[in-house]
Amino acid sequence: MSHITGLFSRRAFNLEGILCGRLENGKVSRMYLLVKKDERMEQIIKQLEKLYDVMEVCVCEDYNAALFDDIHVLIQENK
C-alpha cells in the first residue's frame, strides 16, 4: 500500500479514497482507489503496472461511490 500511495504522492495525483482488504491467506490484498479521471490517468496506470508488487490494474467506470462514502459506518461497527 505504501508503494502505491507513494507513487500518487510523488506524481501529485490526488486520491479521493482508498479501500484495501486481504484476500486468500493474507498474502494478497486488493485495493480500490477512487480518483478523478483526467489527462494523467493513463500515465498513472502505466506507473502502477511497473510496481513489482502490483499484480493487475483495472479501471472501473461503473463503480458505486457510496462504498467510499459509507465506509465510516463499517469502521464504527467493528470497534
Side-chain angles (χ1 to χ4, degrees):
M1 187 165 165
S2 64
H3 293 133
I4 293 170
T5 55
L7 171 67
F8 276 75
S9 177
R10 286 189 302 278
R11 299 283 180 181
F13 197 78
N14 193 32
L15 281 169
E16 302 291 322
I18 302 172
L19 295 176
C20 184
R22 293 180 302 187
L23 299 177
E24 300 170 16
N25 59 1
K27 293 183 178 182
V28 177
S29 296
R30 177 168 289 158
M31 291 181 69
Y32 295 90
L33 307 173
L34 181 61
V35 297
K36 290 185 180 178
K37 188 172 181 179
D38 68 10
E39 67 278 351
R40 297 181 294 166
M41 177 72 95
E42 187 174 326
Q43 181 62 33
I44 290 295
I45 292 169
K46 288 178 184 178
Q47 293 296 315
L48 285 169
E49 291 172 334
K50 290 181 183 180
L51 294 175
Y52 74 91
D53 49 357
V54 172
M55 298 168 66
E56 181 181 11
V57 177
C58 299
V59 176
C60 299
E61 299 198 19
D62 60 337
Y63 65 92
N64 182 353
L67 291 174
F68 289 91
D69 295 337
D70 296 338
I71 195 67
H72 70 278
V73 174
L74 292 173
I75 293 169
Q76 289 175 354
E77 288 176 1
N78 291 320
K79 283 186 177 178

